[in-house]
Amino acid sequence: MHRHDGDNPDRPSVRAYDLILRHIHDADTVEIYLPTALTRMEPGPPPQVESGPPAGESTLTKQVGRVAVASAAALAFGELVSFGQTIALARLLSPAEVGIFAAGTVLTMLLTTFVEGGLRSGLVQRETELADTAETVFRASLVNGLAMTVGALAAAPLIGMIFHNRTIGMIAATTSGFLLIFALTNVPEGLLQRDFSVKRRIIVGPAVSVSFAVVSVALAVCGFGVWSMVIGSYASYVVWVVTVWWLARWRPGRGRASFRLWRELARYGSPVVVNMLGARVQSTVEAAVVGRGLSSAALGHYRYGQRIAQIPVRFIVEVGAFSLFPAFARIAEERDPERMEAAYLRAIRLTTVGAAALSGLIIALGEPAVVVVFGERWREAGALMVAMAGLGLGKAWMSVSEEAIKGVGRTKLLNWQTATEIVLGIGLLLVLVKYYGLIGVGLATSGTMLVVAALVTTLARSAMGIPLLALVRAVGPPLPAAALALAATWYLEHQVLQADSRPILLAIGVLILDTVAFTVIYLLVLSVLAPDVVRGFARLAARLAPRRRRNDADGTAIPRNAEPGPSRETN
């Protein structure tokens, strides 16, 4: 069985994290937010951190930098594939067909929350009886997955009746099998997350993206219509299961499941389930209101507008959340409030730097960019994406704060988030869609996300005892910088350049020029308001620059055990 050393407080992953966190404390750089900075290192004596960079620390920094680049490149590759597939399907399928798929899978997406049941979070957070815990989670997940699959299949005709579309009901029935396949990912995903697995990021995400893109686009070209997305989704789920089981090297039957462990895991994970359920319920209600109250085409615009708006967000949220939860959990075990505060403030500051810029770019360039890339018939999706620009900033804050709350074991605080998200989200949706139609849906999403993010951040700050002024200093500077860059870029694009009125090649060049202008203005203002952040990024870029030629000239090669790559005992 795959060896897990969660019972060992001196395991290499924690020692490496300690070194990196202290290095960040001195250099104020961004490695805390990269999962590769938390990768398990080869066993060896604990590195000594002293004044001045010892050889061991220098080697570790180089290794972390190289693996970080590989991981970020893999994520970028997966997103590029996904974005290319989105463009291809937008050209091959109509908004109505995309909307039918979104409506048909709405119940399946809702029920995945119950399949996971918060058990994965409990597995990641737990430090004892890991073999028995993994076996317990595996068996409970299978039971949950089977029950939810049967329930989704039985409810499929009702979904068709709600949307007044028989095809939607058929898709709901066909995609119910997603739930049972998803149940098989729970244990390996949890084990890989608790081990800070970089291979999971490098291999699984791109493989899933490529499998869906190849299958769905090929079938859409052949005229399968909406069913190309259904079959492509099944292909990606199968690839997901195969790759995570291969990487985790875990097999059932090596531990003993127990009802006691299930109760402990359920007690810890139930607020997490309720929290995830709140977001799923809100999404389900949004899809039902748009699909039934407006049209299937409007639901297609909603699906793609949301999909595009979330592409840049995933670079921030997925990269961070995967490592922040287990990292915060390890720090919380040591009962070091100052260290937790420093880690949290750095993480939320860096997410704000990225999310504020992305939200500003979406507002300034979202609609013309969608028209240029996807075609004129998707203009409404571009306008919706602009209305949903608050999603990025809100999701970034919420992600970091959620992981901190889970890490310190205060998961019951998430119930406040769930209640607010459901009540405010549905309330704003029903009011704004009546007056503003599809744009009202985007405004309701942005408003809800920002309010809930502020609430969760307040709860996390309270749980960790972080002063309000320290939090304001962390998240404040990027906001005015993004606002100034947004105003200048919006005027440049909408009043002068107007990319969506030009031939496609010239239009793409104009959008690139707009993006460069935004970036330059943003960094210039940020260098005035928060010069330490800009210096930190500059130092990181300098460390990640290729140095092999200099190493060869000096005769100082990197030791073999410092090179990132497969290990018999680590992922």
Side-chain angles (χ1 to χ4, degrees):
M1 185 177 72
H2 178 68
R3 185 179 66 84
H4 294 286
D5 42 17
D7 298 328
N8 180 9
D10 294 325
R11 69 178 181 277
S13 61
V14 176
R15 296 201 305 271
Y17 180 75
D18 288 340
L19 176 58
I20 294 160
L21 186 62
R22 295 180 189 179
H23 180 75
I24 295 164
H25 184 74
D26 295 334
D28 196 19
T29 54
V30 300
E31 280 113 331
I32 187 175
Y33 199 59
L34 297 172
T36 49
L38 307 175
T39 307
R40 297 178 62 189
M41 303 299 164
E42 292 293 332
Q48 301 298 319
V49 181
E50 303 170 353
S51 58
E57 179 177 349
S58 176
T59 300
L60 177 60
T61 302
K62 292 177 182 178
Q63 179 186 12
V64 169
R66 289 175 178 174
V67 182
V69 170
S71 182
L75 182 59
F77 172 77
E79 288 300 326
L80 285 174
V81 171
S82 181
F83 187 59
Q85 156 256 306
T86 302
I87 296 173
L89 291 180
R91 299 282 183 175
L92 294 168
L93 304 177
S94 67
E97 288 175 307
V98 175
I100 288 172
F101 176 77
T105 55
V106 67
L107 180 62
T108 303
M109 296 302 101
L110 175 65
L111 294 179
T112 55
T113 303
F114 295 99
V115 174
E116 185 175 355
L119 300 176
R120 184 189 303 177
S121 297
L123 176 59
V124 173
Q125 193 263 354
R126 195 171 184 89
E127 286 298 316
T128 59
E129 302 177 280
L130 291 181
D132 294 345
T133 300
E135 188 69 23
T136 302
V137 172
F138 176 72
R139 296 189 184 187
S141 298
L142 281 184
V143 172
N144 292 345
L146 182 59
M148 294 301 108
T149 298
V150 173
L153 185 60
L158 179 61
I159 299 298
M161 293 172 59
I162 291 175
F163 288 97
H164 299 298
N165 190 308
R166 183 182 177 187
T167 302
I168 291 177
M170 293 174 62
I171 291 175
T174 305
T175 57
S176 61
F178 290 173
L179 296 166
L180 186 57
I181 302 176
F182 175 74
L184 296 174
T185 68
N186 232 6
V187 171
E189 281 282 15
L191 295 176
L192 291 171
Q193 185 177 4
R194 66 171 289 111
D195 280 351
F196 303 107
S197 173
V198 179
K199 290 184 183 179
R200 192 269 174 224
R201 312 302 295 173
I202 293 176
I203 297 174
V204 179
V208 170
S209 297
V210 169
S211 60
F212 178 80
V214 171
V215 175
S216 60
V217 172
L219 293 179
V221 171
C222 295
F224 278 72
V226 65
W227 293 101
S228 63
M229 301 180 74
V230 175
I231 300 172
S233 296
Y234 265 108
S236 65
Y237 268 90
V238 171
V239 169
W240 185 9
V241 170
V242 171
T243 51
V244 294
W245 276 76
W246 169 57
L247 290 175
R249 301 179 186 177
W250 178 86
R251 299 295 179 266
R254 303 298 179 88
R256 300 180 61 182
S258 74
F259 185 70
R260 173 187 61 81
L261 283 174
W262 175 83
R263 283 189 304 176
E264 293 176 4
L265 293 168
R267 189 181 303 115
Y268 172 86
S270 56
V272 179
V273 174
V274 175
N275 173 253
M276 292 189 296
L277 183 61
R280 297 289 190 184
V281 167
Q282 183 185 354
S283 298
T284 302
V285 172
E286 286 176 355
V289 169
V290 175
R292 181 182 173 90
L294 298 177
S295 65
S296 295
L299 183 56
H301 285 296
Y302 165 75
R303 173 67 177 260
Y304 259 37
Q306 184 185 55
R307 171 74 180 86
I308 301 166
Q310 289 179 341
I311 287 177
V313 175
R314 273 194 292 276
F315 278 95
I316 298 172
V317 174
E318 289 191 12
V319 169
F322 185 80
S323 2
L324 286 178
F325 173 32
F328 284 145
R330 302 301 185 269
I331 299 173
E333 291 172 11
E334 300 172 4
R335 303 185 183 279
D336 188 344
E338 292 184 0
R339 187 172 168 217
M340 176 65 79
E341 177 181 338
Y344 174 79
L345 290 177
R346 281 184 174 80
I348 200 166
R349 185 179 201 181
L350 290 166
T351 58
T352 305
V353 169
L358 293 173
S359 294
L361 272 174
I362 287 175
I363 296 174
L365 306 177
E367 185 173 349
V370 169
V371 173
V372 170
V373 176
F374 292 88
E376 180 64 35
R377 66 177 177 175
W378 291 95
R379 180 178 289 275
E380 196 171 358
L384 174 66
M385 185 176 73
V386 173
M388 297 177 70
L391 179 67
L393 190 59
K395 191 67 176 176
W397 284 344
M398 195 163 63
S399 174
V400 175
S401 298
E402 281 180 353
E403 305 311 321
I405 289 173
K406 291 191 293 182
V408 299
R410 300 285 299 278
T411 54
K412 290 184 178 180
L413 291 175
L414 297 177
N415 292 334
W416 290 99
Q417 174 189 353
T418 304
T420 304
E421 193 166 12
I422 292 176
V423 173
L424 181 62
I426 294 177
L428 281 179
L429 174 67
L430 296 178
V431 171
L432 295 179
V433 75
K434 180 179 179 180
Y435 295 101
Y436 301 104
L438 189 59
I439 300 302
V441 178
L443 294 174
T445 300
S446 287
T448 301
M449 189 61 64
L450 290 171
V451 171
V452 173
L455 171 64
V456 178
T457 302
T458 301
L459 293 173
R461 182 185 68 82
S462 176
M464 292 179 287
I466 298 175
L468 176 60
L469 183 59
L471 179 62
V472 172
R473 287 174 177 170
V475 304
L479 301 181
L484 289 173
L486 160 62
T489 308
W490 190 93
Y491 181 84
L492 177 66
E493 166 55 30
H494 293 269
Q495 300 299 321
V496 180
L497 299 178
Q498 299 179 349
D500 55 350
S501 64
R502 303 181 184 278
I504 185 166
L505 292 180
L506 179 58
I508 293 174
V510 168
L511 290 174
I512 293 174
L513 178 62
D514 289 331
T515 303
V516 171
F518 181 97
T519 304
V520 170
I521 297 171
Y522 180 64
L523 290 178
L524 285 175
V525 178
L526 195 61
S527 67
V528 174
L529 299 178
D532 55 320
V533 174
V534 178
R535 287 197 301 266
F537 278 107
R539 284 194 296 267
L540 176 65
R543 279 199 302 275
L544 297 183
R547 300 176 180 176
R548 184 168 298 277
R549 180 178 301 177
R550 187 176 68 184
N551 289 336
D552 291 342
D554 296 340
T556 54
I558 303 293
R560 289 181 60 87
N561 62 0
E563 291 289 346
S567 171
R568 198 166 56 87
E569 295 183 337
T570 61
N571 287 313

